Amino acid sequence: MSADEQMEQFFGGLTAKHAREAEPKEENVSQPVKYPRKQGKGGSESREGGRSQGSASATNRRARPRAHAEEELTTLLAKMVLRQEDNTNVLRAETSMVLHMQPTEPGVLKLLFQASQEWRQQSQAQQPTAVGKLSLRVVLAQIWVRELRQRLQDEDYLKKARQDGWLMSDNWVYQRWNATEKKLEVAPQPGIPHQDLLSLMTQLCSDLATPGVVHRFHSTRPMGANQQSTLVFLLELGYRTEPAQRVVATLQKLQHNAAPQVVGSQLRPEGLRRSPLAKRLAALLHPGRPRLISLPRLPMSLYLLTPPFPYR
């Protein structure tokens, strides 16, 4: 007998045996004996009373499982919402960044506010200009990048950058927070050469105007003409096109680098922290559970926890 025939015989026998065991067997099922109903007035009243009590108890039995099902449904929906929130945060961390902008010099918040007012006038005109046809998020992002590029070519700003230790040996250094001395210090990561940074900023200005690159760029609080406190801006970028990928790569190089401080800014990656609504939902779902602090996803060389603005 060949190997194939032996295999066929083995598996065929198992299949036939399983089929025989799965066949339903006939069983003699006897009908339960029905007890005779009570006759008379007393029996009638007892029967009616039992029917009323049985109806109420049946209603309660149906209500309890329904309430339990609704509670379980609400819990499951809350868990799914939190899971979706965490998954969305992971995706946003790849292409989202945070800008902390200083209100005073050398910050550019006043320039951004003036640009937003000018953009509204041009966008509402009967014949909008080229700037008026762009979205406000693109205009503000370009204003920030262009002002940074211009100051990187200004000798006065470069002189101050060397004095503050931002530009050392013609390299823009990376910084980290020293918790003991409560100040920023130079990180061991190699800095960005000045000429390379100028080339990156020139390419960045061109790529930011490409559609599909800047998805969101706005402050978390209203921006005013006389801003007195630091503002946080959220920047969300695309990732499908080549210009978007170049923008993401360039801005990732600027994270925790000293160069954006020339315009009073600090660029950081987006963290994995849940939104206030998600935190409230998690507190209601798990009362009494201590909150977990989620730290941003950073490379080990840049895993730095720095306060918003330790400027002098």
Side-chain angles (χ1 to χ4, degrees):
M1 184 181 295
S2 63
D4 292 340
E5 292 176 349
Q6 293 177 6
M7 297 287 287
E8 183 66 25
Q9 182 180 1
F10 175 77
F11 287 108
L14 288 179
T15 304
K17 182 179 178 181
H18 178 73
R20 288 194 302 269
E21 293 177 352
E23 291 180 357
K25 299 180 180 180
E26 295 182 0
E27 297 181 356
N28 295 327
V29 181
S30 59
Q31 297 293 333
V33 179
K34 295 183 178 179
Y35 294 94
R37 296 180 180 180
K38 294 182 179 181
Q39 302 294 331
K41 183 177 180 180
S44 176
E45 290 179 355
S46 177
R47 183 168 60 252
E48 292 177 359
R51 182 182 302 170
S52 177
Q53 295 176 0
S55 177
S57 61
T59 302
N60 293 335
R61 286 195 301 270
R62 288 193 299 268
R64 283 195 298 269
R66 182 175 182 181
H68 179 71
E70 291 179 352
E71 181 180 356
E72 183 180 6
L73 176 62
T74 303
T75 303
L76 291 176
L77 287 176
K79 290 182 178 180
M80 289 189 64
V81 169
L82 293 177
R83 181 181 299 177
Q84 184 69 20
E85 170 84 5
D86 295 337
N87 292 338
T88 303
N89 288 341
V90 171
L91 294 176
R92 291 178 63 248
E94 299 297 330
T95 56
S96 300
M97 303 177 191
V98 178
L99 268 170
H100 293 267
M101 294 197 180
Q102 180 183 353
T104 57
E105 290 293 335
V108 293
L109 281 179
K110 291 184 178 180
L111 180 61
L112 294 179
F113 180 78
Q114 295 173 359
S116 64
Q117 298 297 316
E118 182 66 23
W119 173 86
R120 287 186 175 88
Q121 295 179 2
Q122 296 188 17
S123 62
Q124 295 175 359
Q126 294 183 352
Q127 295 182 353
T129 61
V131 175
K133 294 179 181 179
L134 296 174
S135 60
L136 180 60
R137 61 180 182 272
V138 175
V139 172
L140 295 181
Q142 284 205 359
I143 288 292
W144 182 81
V145 173
R146 289 176 181 274
E147 184 65 19
L148 176 57
R149 183 184 63 175
Q150 180 178 350
R151 293 188 182 185
L152 291 178
Q153 299 174 346
D154 192 314
E155 288 298 330
D156 293 336
Y157 284 100
L158 293 179
K159 181 179 179 180
K160 184 178 184 304
R162 293 187 179 94
Q163 293 175 354
D164 293 337
W166 303 340
L167 181 61
M168 301 176 61
S169 301
D170 207 30
N171 290 305
W172 292 93
V173 301
Y174 287 92
Q175 296 177 314
R176 63 183 180 185
W177 178 249
N178 189 325
T180 303
E181 299 182 5
K182 305 296 182 181
K183 67 176 183 179
L184 287 172
E185 64 181 13
V186 178
Q189 182 179 0
I192 305 177
H194 180 68
Q195 294 299 326
D196 293 349
L197 183 59
L198 290 179
S199 300
L200 290 175
M201 301 306 297
T202 301
Q203 183 65 47
L204 188 60
C205 291
S206 176
D207 291 336
L208 283 176
T210 306
V213 172
V214 181
H215 291 331
R216 182 179 297 177
F217 185 65
H218 64 86
S219 60
T220 56
R221 291 183 290 111
M223 180 173 53
N226 299 319
Q227 187 70 32
Q228 300 298 325
S229 59
T230 300
L231 269 184
V232 178
F233 279 71
L234 301 179
L235 175 61
E236 294 187 8
L237 303 167
Y239 58 89
R240 293 183 179 275
T241 61
E242 292 185 5
Q245 294 176 3
R246 286 196 299 265
V247 170
V248 172
T250 299
L251 293 181
Q252 285 178 346
K253 292 180 180 180
L254 291 177
Q255 292 174 2
H256 297 286
N257 191 271
Q261 295 193 32
V262 176
V263 289
S265 305
Q266 285 186 348
L267 187 63
R268 302 179 182 176
E270 178 67 283
L272 299 180
R273 294 179 178 86
R274 290 173 173 174
S275 63
L277 290 178
K279 292 180 181 179
R280 178 60 177 165
L281 180 60
L284 294 175
L285 183 61
H286 304 291
R289 176 179 295 183
R291 293 192 307 169
L292 297 177
I293 302 177
S294 58
L295 300 178
R297 298 175 60 205
L298 301 176
M300 293 302 297
S301 59
L302 287 180
Y303 203 31
L304 315 174
L305 297 178
T306 57
F309 270 106
Y311 280 106
R312 302 174 183 175

